[in-house]
Amino acid sequence: SHFYPESDTVERFAQRRARTLEQLRSQYHGSIRILPGAEVHLCPGLDHLAGLEQLCVEGTNVILLELPFQPVSNAMWETLVRFADAPLRPVLAHVDRYSSGTIESLFDLGFPGQLNAEGLCRLRGRGLLLDWIDEGYILALGSDIHGTDVGYRQWNKARKLLRDRFDTIQSRTEELLEDIL
């Protein structure tokens, strides 16, 4: 679920997410555990938002932050620096979509990242993404699936491309969420 602090409140979002999760769980009977969380759009001062912990992956202090598609402003950098010292554990969402210079600066500040399978399936930039995995910056692989179409094929393709790295990323994800698994 996407959370945009500019146009929503934590309370309304949490209620909507709970209803959606209830519907999903009533329809899905597979073995994958579904944990609610949010992909939280970064804006200046986000770290001061009341109820921010409700946007973490359920049962953890892990919060998935989505950067803006425009250059990161000074006010956003200041917010990110404060997040680095906060009790929440920020993970940068789909780092494959952004400027490598920006992402590597954030890695240097201690922020880990999450990749989308789709990013690995593109030949352009794949080497850099694999380097980030090998250097330990990537803690999770995501599908960013918003329906039932192409995303699943991309996930399977990325898994094949990653080979042993897939297990490495899965282990890192388990460690990230270990308090609840």
Side-chain angles (χ1 to χ4, degrees):
S1 298
H2 293 268
F3 176 74
Y4 299 100
E6 306 91 337
S7 60
D8 206 352
T9 66
V10 173
E11 295 76 26
R12 278 195 313 251
F13 174 83
Q15 290 170 355
R16 231 178 15 260
R17 182 181 62 190
R19 286 191 306 270
T20 302
L21 184 61
E22 186 178 311
Q23 290 173 350
L24 179 61
R25 286 182 173 159
S26 73
Q27 297 295 315
Y28 176 74
H29 303 291
S31 61
I32 296 174
R33 185 170 177 197
I34 300 169
L35 300 172
E39 188 173 307
V40 181
H41 188 256
L42 178 68
C43 64
L46 177 68
D47 57 308
H48 298 302
L49 182 67
L52 196 57
E53 65 283 347
Q54 294 177 60
L55 303 174
C56 292
V57 174
E58 182 179 79
T60 74
N61 66 342
V62 175
I63 188 163
L64 191 60
L65 295 179
E66 179 179 43
L67 298 177
F69 284 106
Q70 69 270 15
V72 177
S73 68
N74 287 340
M76 286 188 211
W77 275 108
E78 291 169 10
T79 298
L80 284 164
V81 168
R82 287 191 303 269
F83 259 111
D85 295 326
L88 300 182
R89 176 93 195 268
V91 175
L92 304 172
H94 43 67
V95 295
D96 47 295
R97 294 184 181 174
Y98 304 106
S99 148
S100 60
T102 298
I103 295 302
E104 289 178 351
S105 294
L106 291 168
F107 288 161
D108 289 344
L109 288 174
F111 288 92
Q114 172 263 329
L115 288 179
N116 278 345
E118 179 183 341
L120 286 165
C121 292
R122 292 187 303 264
L123 183 59
R124 186 169 185 234
R126 184 184 304 155
L128 178 62
L129 300 179
L130 295 174
D131 287 346
W132 288 351
I133 293 167
D134 294 341
E135 293 167 14
Y137 295 126
I138 304 302
L139 301 186
L141 180 66
S143 63
D144 207 26
I145 295 172
H146 292 264
T148 58
D149 192 24
V150 71
Y152 292 103
R153 290 190 298 275
Q154 298 290 56
W155 176 263
N156 289 330
K157 182 177 178 184
R159 186 176 182 161
K160 288 177 187 173
L161 288 168
L162 286 170
R163 295 186 209 119
D164 292 342
R165 289 180 178 107
F166 181 82
D167 292 335
T168 299
I169 294 173
Q170 291 299 102
S171 294
R172 290 176 186 161
T173 303
E174 288 173 14
E175 288 174 19
L176 183 67
L177 303 175
E178 72 184 355
D179 292 339
I180 60 165
L181 295 178

